[in-house]
């Protein structure tokens, strides 16, 4: 595929096992629910190109295994991420109680400046809810996170979660808070700017211009 | 559109690189790029050369000083070194191995594969940094900037003390044994040779110490040792004369004591025997000299880093300090070789938790990575086990439509790593379930992401998974090795000559340049020669980036009228562009550069019909028109 983009962001999807991390990723990339869902072994990644605030951004999303036995190996892929989705299951208080540990891992291993959005998944199972919106919203405020409740089944707020995270990163780049060219920022420039970085200005002038005929 | 020009794309089933002009073309290309990179970072190498000699002596000691606790580590290092040196040979053998489809050497292949595993020069743990003579100077620089270099120096000095002390204690024990057996009818030349070799060995090890005080002590001690060796020879002759004066009963009693006593009692009894035997006084003095040097080294380290009066004391508790004092000034008068081990662990933990993460994000580590990447040889292991390089490589594999190979390798490698970490204490059923997920995804005849492994491999995997007691940590080693070889032979050369790799290096250089300017005048002066070439290079990149951003903004505004309206409120430039566009729309047509009349009012009735195709066509016309005007 020959996609062109302005930026490439590295994202993480982290959280306890069974909260729907892989389904969120699948819903975002394929725009449909992933029915036959096995648990993730180690890490997987997918990507999608989105338009955020006029910029074309490709998101390289690393989906991690939530099982405790894979935690030590998946940690090594945290470094150099620009953003993270921190996922819990609104029908499982245990997954909500583990959020602080996952957040500490992300900020320690990836970067203290990583942009994190808290996702309360399985919003469609509201009758079985064990964590209130208000409670999670307070946790997000206390830890300086963005917060959305999502449903990988219905697709509600799934795309919004990724876009919100990407938009925040773009704002940080514009304000100078984030340096895209720094190693470990989790950001790459796209092919357009890369091509112009590569060639001197005189070569650009020689490039064929669109003909009016 | 492909990023780096055409590159061979082989079906995973083939798993063999195409020998011919394509491969030789890539080989030449890679060499050219490596030479280019070497020129860019010539000044960096110059600064590196300044630092390396200072640390080489100490690291030499660390490598040479082999205490009992490091025997296993040295054995592993030796094996890894031999495997690394044979890596090229192994890689050359693998294609024919795959063609033959034999797995008779699976055991050795596993070892070869495991050697590659977790060994990236670009990604280091703290312990690896402390034992690597290339990256250690960068870590010391980093810690000096934070005024914490004494932690590193203490750890290195304590490590050296620990190793050399064990060596000296072994030499001391051998001398004690020799003293107690002087009266025995043994060959004098053999014993003398043994003692001399150990004295020489101990002397060589201590010469490696970078501390000045031990060095002076060692020099004077060397003189004494050489003269005492001659005296020992004379006394050995005398011991034969003394032998005739000993009674048989005395010899039997001494033998009995030797068999029954423990180590400490043995030492004390030997000392008692030595004190009664005037013939062995020179050896006893030699032993005392060794023990005194151990004590002096311990006191020096204590005074420098642990004493409350030290210029830069390490952060340990009073209880730990008292414990160290007790171990140095023990009741038996001997220094415990492990007296600093606990303090070492505390300092190691402090460095790891408070400083090491920052080091990995610092420009010092970026400099080290640049050195590795421009050293002329970059291995696949350097990319796959370094998460920042993997970020670029995974994007490259995606562009080459080969992301499934990398995905499989990552998942299977993680599976094997977590299983191996449990050392056999794992749930076989759980491991089998995990393995079946990978099998269903990549190997099954109904696989969702088939990679094209042949039936032989699939049957082997099935057999490994269904093993009694669950799969072993090496159950995917064969396909892992094949995936590894495919990535190494087919995709790594293309990646190393791709735009993404160039971007990776550019980010590293940019990080170094940015941090150094922020570092202040002192840091800037220290690296003055390094900054200039990088500055000019990065400056050009920044200029190009700014220009490209402006152009992209213009294009975006022209392409999207809604966006133009939004931007119009914020800036004057888009407003003028918008007005020009609007003005252009007022005319019935215009004359292009080639003199052809273009009627711009013609599409207007079609646009009203709201057909997507026509709308897109009209948009393109507007864009082209305005682009010409620009």
């Amino acid at each position: 595929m020959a996609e062109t983009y302005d930026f490439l962001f590295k994202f993480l999807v982290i959280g306890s096992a069974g909260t729907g991390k892989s389904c969120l990723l699948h819903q975002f990339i394929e725009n449909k629910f992933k029915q036959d869902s096995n648990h993730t072994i180690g890490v997987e990644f997918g990507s999608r190109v989105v338009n955020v605030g006029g910029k074309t951004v490709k998101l390289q999303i690393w989906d991690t295994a939530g099982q405790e036995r894979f935690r030590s190996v998946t940690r090594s892929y945290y470094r150099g991420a620009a953003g993270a989705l921190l996922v819990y299951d609104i029908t499982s208080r245990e997954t909500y109680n583990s959020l602080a540990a996952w957040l500490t891992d992300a900020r320690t291993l990836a970067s203290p400046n990583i942009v994190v959005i808290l996702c309360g998944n399985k919003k469609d199972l509201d009758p079985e809810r064990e964590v209130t919106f208000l409670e999670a919203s307070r946790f997000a405020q206390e830890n300086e996170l963005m917060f959305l409740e999502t449903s990988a089944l219905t697709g509600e707020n799934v795309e919004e979660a990724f876009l919100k995270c990407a938009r925040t990163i773009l704002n940080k780049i514009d304000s100078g808070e984030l340096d895209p060219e720094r190693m470990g920022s989790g950001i790459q420039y796209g092919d357009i700017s890369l091509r112009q970085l590569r060639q001197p200005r005189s070569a650009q002038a020689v490039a064929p211009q669109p003909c009016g005929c | 559109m492909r990023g780096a020009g055409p590159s061979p794309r082989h079906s995973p089933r083939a798993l063999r690189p195409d020998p011919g002009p394509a491969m030789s073309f890539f080989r030449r290309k890679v060499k050219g790029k490596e030479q280019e990179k070497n020129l860019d970072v010539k000044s960096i190498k110059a600064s590196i050369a300044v630092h390396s000699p200072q640390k080489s002596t100490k690291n030499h000691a660390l490598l040479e000083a082999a205490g009992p606790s490091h025997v296993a580590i040295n054995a592993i290092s030796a094996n890894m070194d031999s495997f690394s040196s044979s890596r090229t040979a192994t890689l050359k053998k693998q294609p024919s191995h795959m063609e033959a489809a034999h797995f008779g050497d699976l055991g050795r292949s596993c070892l070869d594969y495991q050697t590659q595993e977790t060994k990236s020069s670009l990604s280091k743990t703290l312990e690896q940094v402390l034992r690597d003579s290339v990256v250690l100077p960068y870590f010391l620089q980093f810690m000096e900037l934070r005024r914490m270099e004494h932690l590193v120096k203490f750890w290195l000095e304590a490590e050296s003390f620990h190793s050399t002390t064990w060596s000296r204690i072994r030499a001391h024990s051998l001398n004690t044994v020799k003293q107690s057996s002087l009266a025995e009818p043994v060959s004098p030349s053999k014993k003398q040779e043994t003692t001399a070799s150990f004295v020489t060995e101990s002397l060589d090890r201590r010469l490696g110490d970078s501390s000045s005080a031990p060095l002076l002590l060692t020099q004077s001690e060397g003189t004494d040792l050489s003269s005492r060796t001659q005296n020992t020879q004379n006394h050995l002759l005398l011991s034969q004369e003394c032998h005739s004066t000993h009674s048989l009963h005395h010899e039997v009693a001494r033998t009995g004591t030797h068999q029954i006593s423990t180590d400490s009692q043995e030492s004390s009894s030997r000392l008692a025997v030595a004190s009664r035997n005037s013939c062995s006084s020179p050896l006893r003095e030699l032993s005392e000299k060794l023990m005194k040097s151990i004590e002096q080294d311990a006191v020096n380290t204590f005074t420098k880093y642990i004493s409350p009066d030290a210029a830069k004391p390490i952060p340990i508790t009073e209880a730990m300090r008292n414990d160290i004092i007790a171990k140095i000034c023990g009741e038996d008068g001997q220094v415990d070789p492990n007296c600093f081990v606990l303090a070492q662990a505390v300092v190691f933990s402090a460095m790891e938790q408070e400083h090491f993460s920052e080091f990995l994000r610092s420009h010092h580590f970026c400099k080290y990575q640049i050195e590795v990447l421009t050293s002329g040889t970059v291995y696949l292991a350097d990319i796959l086990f370094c998460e920042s390089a993997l970020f670029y490589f995974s994007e490259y594999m995606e562009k080459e439509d080969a992301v499934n190979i990398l995905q499989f390798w990552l998942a299977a490698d993680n599976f094997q790593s977590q299983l191996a970490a449990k050392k056999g204490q794992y749930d076989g059923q759980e491991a089998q379930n995990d393995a079946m997920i990978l099998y269903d995804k990549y190997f099954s005849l109904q696989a969702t992401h088939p990679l094209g492994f042949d039936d032989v491999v699939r049957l082997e995997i099935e057999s490994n998974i269904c093993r009694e007691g669950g799969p072993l940590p090496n159950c995917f080693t064969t396909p892992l090795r094949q995936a590894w070889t495919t990535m190494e032979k087919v995709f790594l050369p293309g990646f190393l000559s791709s735009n993404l790799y160039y971007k990776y290096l550019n980010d590293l250089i940019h990080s170094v340049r940015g941090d150094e300017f922020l570092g202040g005048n002192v840091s800037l002066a220290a690296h003055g020669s390094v900054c200039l070439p990088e500055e000019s290079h990065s400056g050009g990149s920044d200029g190009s980036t700014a220009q490209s951003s402006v152009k992209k903004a213009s294009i975006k505004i022209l392409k999207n009228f809604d966006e133009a309206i939004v931007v119009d409120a914020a800036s004057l430039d888009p407003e003028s562009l918008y007005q020009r566009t609007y003005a252009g729309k007022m005319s019935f047509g215009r004359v292009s550069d080639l003199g052809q009349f273009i009627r711009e009012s013609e599409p207007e009735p079609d646009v009203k019909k709201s057909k997507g195709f026509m709308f897109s066509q009209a948009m393109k016309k507007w864009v082209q028109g305005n682009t010409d005007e620009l």
Side-chain angles (χ1 to χ4, degrees), chain A residues 2 5 39 42-45 47 58 60 69 76 79 110 179 181-183 188 194 196-198 213, chain B residues 1 387 391-392 394-395 398 403 407 430 434 437 441 499-500 503 507 510-511 515 541 545 548 594:
Chain A
Y5 46 84
H39 61 265
V43 289
E44 295 177 3
F45 66 90
S47 67
K58 182 172 188 180
Q60 187 190 90
R69 62 183 179 279
S76 58
R79 189 174 307 284
D179 181 359
E181 287 189 349
R182 168 172 295 283
M183 181 51 53
Q188 294 180 27
L194 198 64
Q196 281 166 339
L197 282 175
R198 194 81 190 275
C213 298
Chain B
M1 183 183 295
E387 50 282 343
F391 180 35
Y392 293 87
S394 50
E395 179 64 14
E398 191 156 10
V403 78
Q407 292 265 34
E430 186 182 65
D434 290 346
I437 290 172
K441 190 170 182 180
N499 283 335
L500 282 161
K503 188 67 183 70
D507 279 358
H510 182 87
S511 297
D515 268 352
S541 302
T545 304
S548 63
L594 300 179

Side-chain angles (χ1 to χ4, degrees), chain A residues 8-11 80-83 179-180 182-188, chain B residues 391:
Chain A
L8 169 62
F9 293 166
K10 177 179 176 179
F11 271 27
D179 181 359
R182 168 172 295 283
M183 181 51 53
S185 66
I187 299 166
Q188 294 180 27
Chain B
F391 180 35

